[in-house]
């Protein structure tokens, strides 16, 4: 029983007087004596002032227990344990006299801790049942609540509490003063210098330099805000182990890289070449300098090791060329106070023999100046995994950029370069060209791609071979050289020769990783023919240098290696295959989708005659995918026999653009390769534009970004079929992005937007208002009304397959302009609230009942599927409504038939799809409709249901639905002599159009 529950059984008015008897009455004043007044002096059953004996205390406990048992409600424990519980409670109350504390300390403990002290002081009480023991503990806590309440009301308590607080504050002030005297404050010169240094650091590091790019119109330095992205870092972290529990395995954690030092003061950050390590260092320095919470020191190791001796704190600034001179001892004072942010960059950029010396230097600084934050960066393979783990360093690894990061980088780059006209073109290329997208996974490569794209006025190098060549040159040679590092032992050509052999071995094996032992054997066999590498050491030494400095290889796990980008593996593997004359091997793997990029790269490296042979091999397979692959290869073929080029283009022209939906589906079977080949919208017919959008939609599951790039080009297309396709494929994409980039730009005429998910509802406010909306699925009424930013603009609303909406009361108050409403809500019971709307069209697919329907007098169009109540239509439908269109389907007329239908003399169109046949009386009702010109009949009425059909000379339009091809239609021609158009819906079947045309010689017959 909880104390609060027990409190319901024991009224405070009864407990408080009993508890008060336990203590003597205190006098006025603060009770300031030599020693605080202990509880032993306050209880009334101890000392010289005894007014209550132990027998009286036991009697008090008996009253508390007895009152609880006699109160209404369930008994907390059996009555035969009452005496034992009272004795135990009395022992605990008597223990108040044994506690060595005063009343202020008791109040500070709280009632639960005070009760625990009493339990300990009184000792265990054996022999009680579980319920009795639980009651005893609850009663003890409840009594302690009143004890503490009594203390706080004593006249001396408040005064003594204030005295205790005053003494505590005085002690705290003394300790702070002592701390201040021990830690010297920066003098005025330190403060003045930091006012100069921090802005200098913020400006000095607020830019990046992209080394290795030599372009005419693109600068190599950019503001830091352009290049910096909040990249992710990952690391392994041990789970906490509960006492006695089993040790949990390490798990991977992800965090924003700039937050790496928030939870850990020491971090070793690993990242591949160009992954953003130095940019992160600069960002941390700039933000720290601007915020003023830490003093940043940026220490690039490649600069420091040139001096021979790694600097002490006094030389940090001079070692990196800072022109400012700090006051003497300033750096030591900053680090002693724990205000430093020490960023040591580029462990991999110094010779291996220097790394242990660097480790000793860093650890000496950390031990001399604890409390600061330390970051060390390195490429993954420079030092072993646990190189600094024993010194409290947490290891993190930068992850590749995500697509959203690439998009952000490209946009910022073009904003800074003042070249917005090239931004959209490059983004589309990155989204549709998969090999290019795989290359753009770090800031370095993104910067190179942006610069090359702008340099060529919006076009990437022909066939992109030049792009790969430029990237390889930058990574293998120029980047290190232009950053002032020592000359790389292996030249660019030697590195390429070794790397391409490794790449070709991976391509042939169909893998992307190989073990280090296999790689060493490949390098060993190649060394005799690579003169510049042969004298650099054994195969293991040369491979380690390739791993460390090439920027193309990495070690994802101990004992294995792979290429940082699959596209480099394919590029270099294809180059080696062409050099060795292995075109037959390449062509033999053309049917494997994993070889697509290898084949395209082989075309780029091959000589013109070799290209022609390879492309003819692709065409000879005579499959859509390989024909399209040949077309994709043409952009890599700088020089090619014009006959071969013409043949490839002619064969692919029969596939692209697709002229129909069936063609589009067949084209999509060729895979994501198709996305970069899809044209338009310029120069396409409406049917071809629709086919392209269907193809891209079907490929969204494989390449959503590439499909979106294609569909975005068609968002301004006027064709209704194209626009419907764009609206209908919303489900295949991330809802908010697709809404912003495609849907919000569409001409909304005759378009319905369908929301199926919560994410789509949340994306609705991103767009301008839609007049036609559909909510499909289990959306609550409040979710529908709340997600539309401008509900007054909605004219047509469809609520489909909904089990959550039960009341329609909120709809008229929200969607005040509705003209059309479709209700497919099986739980809705009352249509009456709809009378507040200016509805002209109502479609009822499912409801619990049709209450309120007769009151909707503004309707001109009505569709009803549920069974209508009553014996006549006039009792179930709105008799005052000027109906012109009526669709009665399923069970609607099971009970009413068409009795009373002729009441609506305004009817012009009648569609019937009942589950029961029509009688002669039903047809007589139809015959009495003077303005009826359109009649729709479901196949369920054919042919037996039209036997009683009279001649209807006024009907000019006939619609027949769900035909299967075997219905007898001849009788209709004689009964409908005035028919001018006949439309037949025949899903999945084929009808003889010639026979139908003969039945209705004066009418236009269409099949659908």
């Amino acid at each position: 029983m909880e104390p609060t529950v027990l409190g319901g059984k024991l009224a405070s008015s009864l407990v408080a007087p009993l508890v008060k008897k336990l203590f003597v009455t205190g006098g006025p004043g603060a009770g300031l004596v030599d020693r605080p007044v202990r509880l032993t002096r306050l209880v009334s059953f101890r000392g010289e002032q005894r007014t209550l004996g132990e027998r009286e205390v036991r009697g008090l406990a008996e009253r508390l227990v007895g009152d609880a048992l006699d109160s209404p409600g369930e008994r907390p424990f059996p009555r035969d344990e009452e005496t034992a519980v009272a004795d135990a409670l009395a022992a605990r109350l008597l223990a108040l006299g044994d506690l060595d504390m005063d009343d202020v300390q008791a109040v500070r403990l709280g009632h639960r801790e005070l009760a625990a002290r009493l339990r300990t002081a009184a000792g265990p009480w054996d022999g009680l049942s579980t319920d009795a023991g639980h009651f005893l503990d609850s009663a003890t806590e409840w009594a302690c609540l009143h004890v503490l309440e009594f203390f706080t009301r004593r006249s001396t308590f408040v005064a003594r509490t204030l005295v205790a607080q005053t003494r505590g504050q005085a002690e705290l002030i003394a300790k702070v003063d002592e701390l201040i005297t021990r830690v010297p404050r920066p003098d005025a010169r330190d403060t003045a210098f930091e006012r100069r240094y921090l802005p200098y650091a913020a400006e000095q590091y607020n830019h990046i330099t992209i080394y290795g790019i030599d372009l005419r119109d693109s600068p190599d330095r950019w503001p830091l805000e352009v290049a910096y992205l909040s990249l992710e870092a990952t690391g392994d972290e041990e789970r906490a182990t509960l006492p006695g529990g089993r040790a949990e395995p390490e798990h991977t954690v992800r965090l924003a890289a700039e937050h790496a030092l928030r939870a850990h003061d020491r971090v070793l950050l690993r990242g591949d070449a160009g992954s953003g390590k130095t940019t992160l260092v600069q960002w941390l320095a700039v933000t720290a300098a601007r915020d003023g919470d830490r003093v940043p020191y940026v220490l690039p190791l490649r600069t420091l090791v040139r001096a021979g001796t790694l600097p002490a704190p006094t030389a940090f600034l001079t070692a990196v060329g800072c022109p400012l001179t700090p006051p003497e001892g300033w750096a030591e004072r900053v680090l002693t106070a724990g205000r430093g942010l020490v960023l040591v960059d580029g462990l991999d950029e110094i010779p291996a023999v220097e790394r242990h010396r660097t480790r000793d230097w860093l650890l000496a600084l950390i031990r001399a100046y604890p409390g600061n934050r330390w970051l060390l960066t390195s490429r993954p393979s420079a030092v072993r995994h646990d190189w600094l783990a024993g010194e409290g360093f947490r290891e993190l690894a930068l992850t590749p950029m995500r697509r959203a990061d690439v998009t952000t980088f490209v946009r910022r780059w073009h904003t800074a370069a003042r070249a917005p006209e090239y931004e959209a073109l490059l983004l589309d290329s990155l989204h549709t060209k998969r090999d290019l997208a795989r290359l753009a996974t770090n800031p370095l490569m993104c910067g190179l791609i942006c610069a090359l794209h702008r340099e060529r006025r919006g076009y990437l190098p022909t066939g992109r071979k030049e792009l790969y060549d430029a990237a390889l040159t930058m990574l293998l040679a120029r980047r290190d050289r232009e950053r002032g590092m020592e000359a790389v032992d292996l030249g660019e050509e030697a590195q390429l020769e070794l790397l391409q052999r490794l790449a070709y071995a991976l391509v042939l094996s169909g893998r992307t990783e190989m073990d280090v032992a296999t790689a060493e054997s490949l390098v060993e066999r190649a060394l005799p023919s690579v003169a510049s590498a042969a004298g650099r050491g054994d195969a293991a030494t040369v491979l380690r240098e390739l791993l460390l400095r090439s920027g193309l290889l990495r070690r994802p796990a101990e004992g294995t290696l792979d290429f940082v980008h699959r596209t480099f593996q394919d590029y270099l593997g294809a180059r080696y295959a062409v050099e060795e004359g292995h075109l037959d091997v390449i062509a033999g793997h053309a049917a494997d989708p994993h070889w697509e990029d290898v084949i395209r790269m082989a075309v780029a490296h091959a000589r013109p005659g070799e290209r022609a042979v390879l492309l003819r091999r692709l065409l000879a397979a005579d499959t859509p995918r390989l024909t399209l692959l040949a077309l994709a290869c043409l952009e890599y073929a700088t020089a090619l026999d014009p006959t071969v080029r013409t043949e490839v283009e002619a064969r692919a022209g029969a596939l692209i653009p697709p002229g129909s939906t069936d063609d589009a589906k067949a084209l999509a079977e060729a895979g994501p390769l198709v996305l970069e080949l899809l044209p338009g919208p310029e120069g396409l017919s409406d049917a071809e534009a629709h086919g392209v959008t269907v193809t891209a939609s079907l490929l969204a599951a494989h390449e959503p970004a590439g499909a979106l790039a294609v569909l975005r080009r068609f968002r301004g297309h006027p064709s209704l079929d194209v626009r419907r396709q764009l609206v209908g494929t919303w489900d295949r994409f991330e809802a908010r992005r697709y809404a912003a980039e495609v849907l919000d730009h569409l001409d909304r005429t005759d378009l319905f937007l369908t929301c199926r998910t919560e994410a789509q509802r949340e994306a609705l406010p991103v767009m301008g208002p839609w007049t036609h909306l559909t909510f499909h699925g289990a959306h609550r009424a409040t979710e529908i009304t709340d997600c539309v930013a401008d509900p007054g603009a909605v004219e047509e609303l469809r609520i489909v397959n909904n089990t959550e909406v039960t009341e329609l009361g909120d709809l008229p108050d929200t969607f005040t302009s509705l003209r059309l409403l479709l209700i497919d809500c099986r739980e809705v019971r009352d249509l009456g609230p709809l009378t507040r709307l200016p509805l002209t069209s109502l479609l009822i697919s499912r409801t619990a009942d049709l209450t309120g329907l007769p009151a909707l007098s503004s309707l001109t169009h009505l569709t009803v599927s549920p069974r209508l109540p009553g014996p006549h239509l006039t009792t179930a439908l709105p008799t005052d409504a000027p109906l012109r269109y009526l669709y009665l389907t399923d069970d609607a007329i099971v009970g009413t038939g068409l009795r009373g239908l002729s009441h609506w003399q305004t009817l012009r169109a009648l569609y019937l799809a009942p589950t029961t046949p029509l009688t002669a009386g039903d047809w007589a009702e139809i015959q009495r409709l003077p303005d009826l010109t359109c009649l729709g009949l479901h196949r369920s009425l054919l042919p037996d249901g039209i036997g009683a059909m009279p001649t209807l000379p006024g009907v000019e339009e006939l619609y027949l639905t769900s035909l299967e091809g075997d219905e007898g239609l001849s009788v209709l021609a004689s009964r409908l002599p005035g028919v001018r158009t006949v439309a037949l819906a025949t899903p999945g079947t084929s009808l003889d159009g010639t026979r139908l045309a003969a039945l209705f010689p004066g009418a236009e017959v269409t099949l659908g």
Side-chain angles (χ1 to χ4, degrees):
M1 181 180 294
E2 293 296 324
T4 53
V5 178
L6 181 62
K9 291 181 169 288
L10 296 176
S12 296
S13 60
L14 296 177
V15 179
L18 296 177
V19 171
K20 187 176 181 180
K21 291 182 179 182
L22 295 171
F23 302 95
V24 298
T25 302
L32 300 179
V33 292
D34 292 340
R35 291 181 299 174
V37 178
R38 317 307 291 177
L39 292 187
T40 55
R41 297 279 302 277
L42 293 176
V43 295
S44 61
F45 46 83
R46 290 283 192 275
E48 298 176 357
Q49 301 180 9
R50 178 181 302 185
T51 60
L52 193 69
E54 294 184 7
R55 186 176 64 181
E56 287 79 10
V57 173
R58 190 185 184 286
L60 186 150
E62 288 177 348
R63 288 186 58 186
L64 288 174
V65 175
D67 289 344
L69 293 177
D70 294 338
S71 61
E74 180 185 357
R75 294 178 59 82
F77 61 89
R79 183 171 288 280
D80 59 6
E81 294 186 275
E82 180 178 353
T83 300
V85 172
D87 290 342
L89 181 57
R92 291 185 179 182
L93 294 177
L94 289 169
L96 281 167
D98 299 324
L99 297 182
D100 185 20
M101 66 178 68
D102 58 28
D103 54 351
V104 175
Q105 294 170 330
V107 172
R108 188 176 298 147
L109 279 179
H111 72 281
R112 287 191 173 88
E113 181 60 26
L114 181 59
R117 298 284 181 92
L118 293 180
R119 287 196 297 270
T120 302
W125 198 270
D126 299 327
L128 295 179
S129 66
T130 301
D131 289 341
H134 192 41
F135 173 87
L136 175 62
D137 291 341
S138 299
T140 305
E141 290 190 11
W142 183 244
C144 287
L145 276 172
H146 287 276
V147 167
L148 299 183
E149 173 69 14
F150 171 77
F151 287 163
T152 60
R153 294 179 181 272
R154 296 179 67 247
S155 60
T156 62
F157 179 79
V158 174
R160 292 190 62 251
T161 302
L162 294 175
V163 170
Q165 290 177 345
T166 302
R167 288 172 175 170
Q169 289 174 345
E171 182 180 357
L172 178 62
I173 291 171
K175 290 179 179 179
V176 172
D177 288 342
E178 177 66 18
L179 181 63
I180 291 175
T181 59
R182 292 182 181 183
V183 181
R185 295 178 299 169
D187 57 22
R189 292 182 305 156
D190 288 357
T191 303
F193 175 74
E194 288 178 19
R195 288 175 181 166
R196 298 174 60 208
Y197 173 70
L198 293 179
Y200 163 82
E203 178 63 27
Q204 172 70 11
Y205 299 112
N206 192 27
H207 68 274
I208 64 163
T209 300
I210 301 178
Y211 294 97
I213 299 178
D214 184 15
L215 301 175
R216 182 176 58 257
D217 294 331
S218 297
D220 60 359
R221 289 167 59 93
W222 300 96
L224 183 60
E225 287 84 354
V226 173
Y228 183 72
L229 296 168
S230 182
L231 300 178
E232 273 192 343
T234 62
D236 291 332
E237 191 170 86
E238 293 184 358
R239 298 182 185 271
T241 303
L242 297 176
R246 185 177 58 184
E248 294 285 344
E250 292 185 345
H251 70 293
T252 300
V253 295
R254 295 179 176 271
L255 72 162
E258 66 270 23
H259 297 164
L261 288 170
R262 289 188 179 179
H264 298 269
D265 288 341
R266 306 174 187 179
V267 172
L268 172 59
L269 182 70
R270 298 180 189 261
D272 295 316
S275 60
K277 301 184 298 295
T278 299
T279 303
L280 174 63
V281 163
Q282 294 181 208
W283 181 261
L284 292 173
V286 170
T287 54
R290 288 175 176 173
D291 295 342
D293 58 341
R294 294 270 173 173
V295 177
Y297 301 96
V298 178
L299 305 175
L301 284 172
R302 64 178 179 270
T303 300
L304 302 183
V305 296
R306 293 185 192 135
T309 302
L310 294 170
T314 55
F316 275 1
L317 299 189
T318 56
V320 296
C322 176
L324 303 179
T325 302
E328 184 177 355
W330 167 75
E332 289 92 336
R333 288 191 292 273
V334 169
L335 296 177
T336 299
R339 297 193 301 121
L341 174 63
V342 185
L343 305 166
V344 184
D345 187 31
L347 180 65
D348 57 284
E349 297 177 353
I350 60 176
V353 295
E354 297 283 352
R355 290 173 195 154
H356 286 286
R357 183 166 68 94
T358 300
R359 183 177 184 273
D360 294 340
W361 165 76
L362 180 61
L363 294 181
L365 288 173
I366 291 173
R367 291 161 184 159
Y369 301 104
N372 297 282
R373 292 180 179 174
W374 310 81
L375 177 74
L376 176 63
T377 72
S378 173
R379 290 191 187 180
S381 56
V383 291
R384 67 178 186 272
H385 176 70
D386 58 348
W387 196 63
L388 284 172
E391 306 299 332
F393 272 78
R394 183 189 187 188
E395 288 206 8
L396 297 174
L398 283 177
T399 59
M401 293 168 66
R402 296 165 296 180
R403 283 188 171 178
D405 299 327
V406 173
T407 299
T408 300
F409 183 98
V410 170
R411 287 173 176 164
R412 290 179 180 177
W413 194 98
H414 285 84
T415 298
R418 298 178 182 176
E421 65 274 19
Y422 302 127
E423 176 186 308
L425 293 173
L426 180 55
L427 285 175
D428 281 348
S429 295
L430 287 168
H431 291 153
T432 56
K433 301 181 185 301
R434 291 172 295 154
D435 55 342
L436 186 62
R438 286 197 293 267
L439 194 62
T441 55
N442 63 48
L444 177 68
M445 298 308 300
C446 283
L448 172 66
I449 292 170
C450 289
L452 286 171
H453 185 259
R454 182 198 177 190
E455 182 77 6
R456 287 152 179 78
R457 301 294 188 267
Y459 294 93
L460 288 171
T462 302
R464 291 192 292 282
K465 180 177 181 296
E466 185 178 347
L467 172 63
Y468 294 117
D469 289 340
L472 290 171
T473 297
M474 176 183 66
L475 290 172
L476 298 180
R478 293 190 55 184
R479 189 162 179 260
D480 282 348
R481 184 172 62 247
E482 293 179 17
R483 288 192 297 172
M485 294 177 59
E486 295 181 2
V488 180
D489 289 341
L490 293 176
E492 179 181 352
E493 286 301 321
Q495 292 183 77
L496 281 174
E497 183 63 33
L498 297 174
L499 288 168
Q500 68 185 20
R501 294 179 185 232
L502 297 175
Y504 189 53
L506 285 171
V507 168
L508 286 176
S509 67
R511 301 171 60 190
T512 58
E513 290 183 358
M514 71 168 55
D515 59 80
V516 172
T518 301
E520 287 179 356
S521 66
L522 289 171
V523 171
E524 185 175 11
R525 290 198 297 270
L527 283 180
S529 59
V530 184
S532 59
R536 304 299 182 183
D538 59 10
T541 302
V542 174
L543 181 62
R544 280 197 300 271
E545 186 171 346
L546 282 175
L547 271 167
L548 184 61
R549 298 270 26 110
S550 72
L552 292 179
L553 291 179
R554 64 181 179 183
R555 185 173 291 166
E558 191 64 30
T560 63
L561 59 80
D562 66 0
F563 281 82
V564 294
H565 303 297
R566 172 69 184 268
T567 187
F568 283 134
Q569 174 184 310
D570 294 341
Y571 178 85
L572 291 171
R575 169 175 162 156
Y576 186 77
V578 170
E579 288 181 356
E580 296 297 310
H582 293 175
L583 294 182
D584 287 341
V585 175
I586 294 175
H589 287 84
D592 186 348
H594 294 99
W595 280 67
E596 284 180 0
D597 290 338
V598 177
I599 292 172
R600 289 195 279 188
M601 293 298 101
V603 170
H605 288 296
R607 292 181 290 272
E610 295 170 330
R611 290 170 181 159
V613 171
L614 188 53
L615 291 175
R616 285 196 173 103
R617 287 282 300 272
L618 297 179
L619 293 178
D622 197 22
T623 66
R625 194 185 72 82
L626 294 187
T627 299
L628 295 174
L629 178 58
L631 179 64
C633 289
L634 290 185
E635 73 169 298
Y636 297 83
T638 307
L640 179 65
D641 182 344
T643 304
V644 176
R645 185 181 296 274
T646 301
E647 184 180 357
V648 171
E649 292 173 343
R651 294 274 294 275
L655 302 173
I656 298 179
S660 67
T661 300
D662 289 339
D663 292 343
K665 293 178 179 179
L667 182 59
E669 293 293 328
L673 167 71
V674 172
L675 287 172
E676 58 189 87
L677 303 175
L678 291 175
E682 297 81 8
L684 300 182
S685 67
D686 287 353
E688 290 171 339
H690 180 245
V692 169
T693 56
V694 170
T695 302
S697 299
L698 293 173
L699 291 170
H702 304 284
E703 290 285 343
L708 178 58
V710 173
L711 296 177
R712 188 170 50 236
R713 301 200 303 259
F714 289 82
R715 65 191 185 186
H717 203 283
S719 167
L720 179 60
D721 286 341
V722 172
R723 291 184 288 120
R724 283 176 174 166
Q725 180 63 35
L726 295 178
V727 168
T729 196
W730 191 12
D731 293 344
R732 301 170 187 262
F733 297 91
E734 191 277 317
R736 183 176 292 267
R737 181 179 180 187
Y738 192 79
E741 297 189 18
V742 176
L743 297 180
D744 198 31
H745 300 268
L746 296 177
D747 175 3
R748 288 151 164 76
T749 305
D750 297 324
L751 285 186
F752 262 94
L753 182 67
T754 299
C755 289
R756 300 177 184 272
T757 66
E758 179 183 359
Q760 290 176 340
R761 288 202 315 268
E762 293 174 350
L764 270 180
V766 172
M767 300 178 281
W770 283 78
T771 58
H772 297 52
L773 283 175
T774 297
F775 289 89
H776 194 288
H779 307 274
R780 293 191 292 270
T782 53
E783 293 172 338
I784 293 174
T785 55
D786 292 348
C787 72
V788 181
D790 186 7
V794 180
E795 298 176 0
E796 300 191 14
L797 178 66
R798 288 171 165 84
I799 306 176
V800 179
N801 194 26
N802 191 298
T803 57
E804 296 293 327
V805 175
T806 59
E807 303 289 341
L808 299 177
D810 292 339
L811 290 182
D813 299 329
T814 303
F815 300 101
T816 56
S817 301
L818 279 187
R819 299 291 188 271
L820 180 148
L821 176 63
L822 184 151
I823 301 174
D824 181 14
C825 309
R826 66 186 66 181
E827 302 300 329
V828 167
R829 295 186 176 276
D830 185 8
L831 304 178
L834 300 182
T835 57
R836 304 199 301 271
L837 286 171
L839 283 180
T840 58
S841 298
L842 178 63
L843 298 86
I844 307 171
S845 177
R846 282 181 295 182
T847 59
D849 63 53
L850 297 171
T851 301
L853 178 58
L856 302 180
S857 59
S858 61
L859 297 178
T860 60
H861 292 63
L862 177 62
T863 297
V864 182
S865 295
R867 184 170 181 171
L868 292 167
H872 300 84
L873 292 180
T874 51
T875 62
L877 302 182
T879 55
D880 295 335
L883 292 179
R884 295 196 298 270
Y885 173 107
L886 182 61
Y887 194 157
L888 300 172
T889 182
D890 296 339
D891 293 334
I893 62 172
V894 168
T896 63
L898 294 182
R899 289 182 292 276
L901 177 65
S902 58
H903 169 80
W904 289 275
Q905 295 287 291
T906 54
L907 274 178
R908 298 177 183 174
L910 177 66
Y911 291 81
L912 300 171
T915 56
T916 57
L918 299 182
T919 66
D922 294 332
W923 283 112
E925 290 285 343
I926 296 173
Q927 192 176 27
R928 288 195 289 270
L929 297 174
D931 294 335
L932 187 67
T933 59
C934 180
L935 180 63
L937 301 175
H938 188 266
R939 72 173 301 272
S940 61
L941 294 172
L942 304 173
D944 298 336
I946 58 175
M949 180 180 181
T951 301
L952 302 174
V955 175
E956 299 177 354
E957 301 175 31
L958 176 63
Y959 292 88
L960 302 175
T961 59
S962 301
L963 298 185
E964 295 182 354
D966 57 352
E967 295 83 3
L969 305 178
S970 58
V971 68
L972 289 175
S974 61
R975 308 292 171 85
L976 302 172
V979 166
R980 296 290 176 265
T981 61
V982 179
L984 301 99
T986 58
T989 62
S990 59
L991 294 180
D992 185 352
T994 304
R995 183 176 68 88
L996 291 172
L999 288 176
F1000 302 95
E1004 178 184 353
V1005 179
T1006 59
L1007 303 178

